[in-house]
Every structure is written in C-alpha cells, then in structure tokens.
Amino acid sequence: MNTLIRTEILKLRTVRGPWLLLAAAPLLVLAGVSGLAISGGDMNKPTAQSGALSHVGLTSLFTVVFGILAVAGEYRHKTIVDTYLSTPARRQVIAAKLAVYTVLGALSGVVCSAVGLAAAASWWADKGLPFGWSNSAMWTTIGGGIAWNAAFAAIGVGLGALVRNLVGAIALALAWIALIEGIVGQLVGNLARWLPFNAGQALGGSPGGSGGGPPGLGSATLLPRWGGAVVLLVYTIAFAVAAVTTSMRRDVA
Amino acid sequence: MTDVSVRGLSKRYGGVTAVADLTFDAPAGEVTGFLGPNGSGKTTTLRMLLGLVRPTAGEALIGGRHYARLADPRAEVGAVLEATGFHPGRSGRNHLRILVRAARLPEGRVGQALERVGLTASADRRVGGYSLGMRQRLALAAALLGDPGVLILDEPANGLDPAGMATLRELLRELAGEGRTILVSSHVLSEVAQTADRVVIISDGALRFAGPLAELGGTGVAVRSPRTADLSKLLTARGFQVRITGESSLEVQGAPAEEISRLAAEEGIALSSLGEGSAALEAAFLRLTGQSAQSASAAPITADIA
C-alpha cells in the first residue's frame, strides 16, 4: 500500500493539470472574500466572519473534479492499462488513490483557509473593524469546509471510477452541483437537505444561513453541521465502496 | 523459463463472440507469431492473458498461473498493448519512473531501458511531442523495465516506418536470443515470418492453425497465371503437388521456381507472378483466415499441439 501511495504521488508530481486545478481554489476564495467586503455587506454582523470563510467549503467544486482525474484521467490517457499491469490488485490501486486524493483535497482546503483568513483579516483591517481570531463559529466553518473539500475529492475518485469517461464524469459532477440537485431538491422538498451538496453546505457553510441559502432548497433548512458531516461521510463511503467493487470486475479496454 | 498457455479460452460481449474456445501454447524460449485479420480476437486474447479482460470461459496462463496471481508481474511479463497510453504532459522518463516505483524495481532500470530502445536523448521531453515510433519505443522500454522472461506484444509494428520495423525485428530477434518467450501479434504474416519460430493463426476468434512456420506450407511456390487450369494440369503431370488458391493463382509444392518457369515457357503459358517463400506463406495465411477468393477450405489445421 505504501508503494502504491508513493506511486500515486509521483504520478501527480509529474504532471501539471491537477495542480493548476487546485491552484484555482484559493483564488476563488480570495475573490469571494473580497467580493463580500467590496459589495458593502454588513461586516459588523457576528456571522460575517464565518460567512466570508464559508467560501473555503465551496471550493469542493474543484476538489471533486480533482478527484475525478484520479481514475477517469487514467482512462482518458489510457495509462490505466500500465497501472493495472503493474498492480493487478485493482482494489488496492483504487484504495491508494482514495487515500492520496482525500488528503490532498483536505490540504487544498487548508491552503484555501489560510488564504481566506489572510484576505478576511486584511479587509476587516481595511474597514477599521476588529477581526475576531477566536470566533468559534468561524473556525468550525473552516473545519467543516476542509472536511467538505476532502469528502468531495474522495467522491470524485469514486465517481471517476464508476463513470470512467473523464468528460462525462466532470460534466455529471458539475451539472449535479449547478443544476440537478436544485431541481431534484424542489421535487423532494424537505428531503433535499439529505442531498450531497446540501449536506456539504450544512457542514462547511455559514451558520444561520446569512443571505440567499442554497439554491433549490427553498424554505427547507439545512441539516445541523454534525448532521451534514454524517451524511457526507455516508456518501463518501458509498462512492468509495462502489468504486472499489466495480473496478474489480470490469474489463479494461 | 516460462511458457504461455491458453486453454479453451472464450470471450463473449453480449451476443458477440470475440474469442471462441481457443487453445494454444507459446513455448518457453521461442517466438510465437499470433496472427489473424483485424477484429479476429487477437487483442482480446492478449488482454485476457494480462488479466485486463475477464474470460467468459477457459483459462489464459503465464507459467501456469493467472496474471493476477503473479508475485512480481513486471519482472515476469512485459507487455506492449495498442491500448497502452501516456499522459501527454509527462516526460518519457517520468512515465517509466512511475512504473519502476509501482513495481519496486531499482531506479537504474529506467536509464537502461531507455538506452536499449534508443530513446535516451528524448527521455526528458513530454510524450505529447513524441512521434508514433517514439511512443512505440517508449512502450517497449516499459515492457523491458522488469527484465521479464515473457514478452507479449500486440501489433508492435503498427504505425512504424520501414526503418522502425527493421529495428523492431532486430530487437525481437535479440530478445529471443536471450531466451525470452515472445508472443507477438500481427495481422500481416510477413512482419513476423522472419522472426517467429512458430505461428498461431486465428480467424473469427477461433483457431485455424498452430504449429511451426514450416508446416504452414511456406515451402511452396505461389504462382499467378491467367491459365491456371492448364498450368495445374502440366505440373501435376510432372508429379508436383498443385493447389488452386484463387481464380488465377495456385501453389506448387516440390518444384523450384526456375523449374516451374521453364515448364510454363515450353508450353507457352504466361506467368504473371512467381513467388517463393513469403508470397506462398501469405497465400496460406489468407486461405486459413478465409480472406482469399476461395475461402471454402478454412477448416482448422492443428499441428503439433503439445
């Protein structure tokens, strides 16, 4: 397993694409935090700081695509053949990918948090407001956001292993987040809170739902933060198990 | 030394049978040519050997074991598959480093393999800029990393220019000379005729011939003439074995080409072509795989299945 993990890391180190993708995440956080300050929102509100840092969780959009690259990217470039020739134990290959991509998803969340904190502290100082470093709601939002990043990276690995077509898997993931979950949410009403993106919002979003709220959820409320964590964990495990088991049997053509 | 054996191997995709009850051996230390027209099931067979595709029935074994059961797959089997790919943004050297790491081989093997296939100068360039021939060489280098006793090559000559083909042939001969078991597929018999000790010919997923190259009928002379019937009568009368292989072609056993030419000239029969060796081999191959004008006699001929 150690060998497989080191192999996966070397694969990532020798290409640029995945890193460019992850590099976009902190830029999004920077833009999001700055946008909040520039648009003149009420930064005195007690929830304003966690609202700003809730952008960390939203970068899960990037980590899910990053995760998809793990398996579907190998099918795209047909390197999967060499991977399975080196390691016929496919279960272990997928498990190693899950481990590496989940950790890197979390690390991406950590980097985004650092960038988000720096940006927020600067804007707060710019407006002459005190930045509460001990604001516990902000820190739980950050922690939830990092966990959401990690979970979506793992879900991405699973999705990529199930769909195998890179473009198809990315399109499906983005369409789900941007469109499908909203539509399904309206159909199922209050049950929408159990859907993966809404569970992520519950885990890494700002408490109290300052403004807007997730699209499609309507008047329904998100799960509590711990509830979001449990639901997202269940999705992650389900995708991981499905990925590992289907990879065992399928023909590689 | 390791041999490759295929026993009653079948693969069905839905209602389509890609490989049908195939049985053959690639004996240790020999070069076995695996021949058949495009779409005859060669690639599917090789993928089943390598554990990439799950057989519907039967077994494909390397040294008596399934690929997935090999303790050290890269050190036992090297494979060049058409389906093998490279990340275009990764250098050739890094591609090999990944394989070496996965197989827990010494890093030094990367340089050795690059040297062997003559790719050292371009090793640090991105694969996206490689020519087809360079990619083939990189795939070959990957197969050689573990210094395996068995090499499985799927259409390695595809896309190579004549110089590349010559180099490949030379390398195959060299690798065979080192005592490796080589199974090399092709849809063109002449590509492997010079290197193969024996051939396995399949068509529509089923075995047509398995045995030494000499038994394929390559000792004959392929003759084309507008007057096949007259020529056949003439040669048969002289005691030579003649087989009509097409509307204007036949194959003669036992007569040297000069003799046939002289006899035909005496009778005033024009010959449009007269070919020894490879042409006759090719004719036999086409007949076995049902690609010639007369495909009625495409029954399996099995010789020397140990």
Side-chain angles (χ1 to χ4, degrees), chain A residues 11 14 82 85-86 251, chain B residues 11 54 67 74 90 104:
Chain A
K11 280 180 194 169
T14 50
D82 261 329
L85 286 181
S86 295
D251 290 345
Chain B
K11 179 67 184 182
R54 191 177 274 259
Y67 187 88
R74 287 269 171 203
R90 196 176 272 143
R104 294 197 203 90

Side-chain angles (χ1 to χ4, degrees), chain A residues 26-236:
Chain A
L27 294 180
L28 181 94
V29 173
L30 182 64
V33 173
S34 304
L36 203 74
I38 291 168
S39 66
D42 184 3
M43 291 161 69
N44 260 322
K45 270 200 314 190
T47 56
Q49 278 185 214
S50 46
L53 269 304
S54 68
H55 287 98
V56 171
L58 291 176
T59 61
S60 301
L61 193 77
F62 293 98
T63 61
V64 72
V65 176
F66 174 66
I68 286 169
L69 292 175
V71 181
E74 287 226 46
Y75 274 96
R76 166 82 177 79
H77 298 298
K78 295 178 175 176
T79 50
I80 193 75
V81 170
D82 261 329
T83 296
Y84 285 159
L85 286 181
S86 295
T87 317
R90 300 181 192 177
R91 194 182 310 222
Q92 291 176 28
V93 172
I94 304 292
K97 284 180 185 287
L98 280 165
V100 168
Y101 281 75
T102 305
V103 169
L104 287 174
L107 282 178
S108 172
V110 170
V111 172
C112 286
S113 304
V115 169
L117 279 168
S122 310
W123 278 112
W124 256 253
D126 184 65
K127 306 271 180 187
L129 297 167
F131 188 77
W133 285 100
S134 55
N135 182 328
S136 67
M138 177 186 77
W139 287 108
T140 44
T141 299
I142 288 174
I146 292 170
W148 185 6
N149 273 292
F152 263 41
I155 288 173
V157 174
L159 183 65
L162 289 171
V163 176
R164 297 191 291 180
N165 179 303
L166 181 64
V167 176
I170 292 176
L172 181 61
L174 296 185
W176 178 270
I177 292 169
L179 197 65
I180 301 171
E181 183 155 327
I183 292 168
V184 173
Q186 280 175 330
L187 289 174
V188 299
N190 211 18
L191 291 174
R193 57 163 88 175
W194 301 97
L195 295 173
F197 191 73
N198 284 334
Q201 290 264 44
L203 173 62
S206 173
S210 56
L217 200 52
S219 57
T221 45
L222 293 170
L223 293 166
R225 205 183 287 281
W226 66 266
V230 171
V231 170
L232 209 51
L233 183 65
V234 169
Y235 276 113
T236 305

Side-chain angles (χ1 to χ4, degrees), chain A residues 3 6-7 10-11 13-16 77-79 81-82 84-86 88 90 248-253, chain B residues 11 47 51-54 67-68 73-74 83-88 90 94-95 97-98 101-102 104 126:
Chain A
T3 301
R6 290 183 44 208
T7 305
L10 183 60
K11 280 180 194 169
R13 275 177 44 213
T14 50
V15 290
R16 285 185 310 190
H77 298 298
K78 295 178 175 176
T79 50
V81 170
D82 261 329
Y84 285 159
L85 286 181
S86 295
R90 300 181 192 177
M248 285 308 294
R249 295 197 61 87
R250 282 172 163 182
D251 290 345
V252 180
Chain B
K11 179 67 184 182
R47 285 194 183 149
L52 296 170
V53 167
R54 191 177 274 259
Y67 187 88
R74 287 269 171 203
T84 312
F86 311 102
H87 192 296
R90 196 176 272 143
N94 279 335
H95 177 78
R97 282 179 63 213
I98 288 166
R101 178 157 298 181
R104 294 197 203 90
R126 289 163 186 242

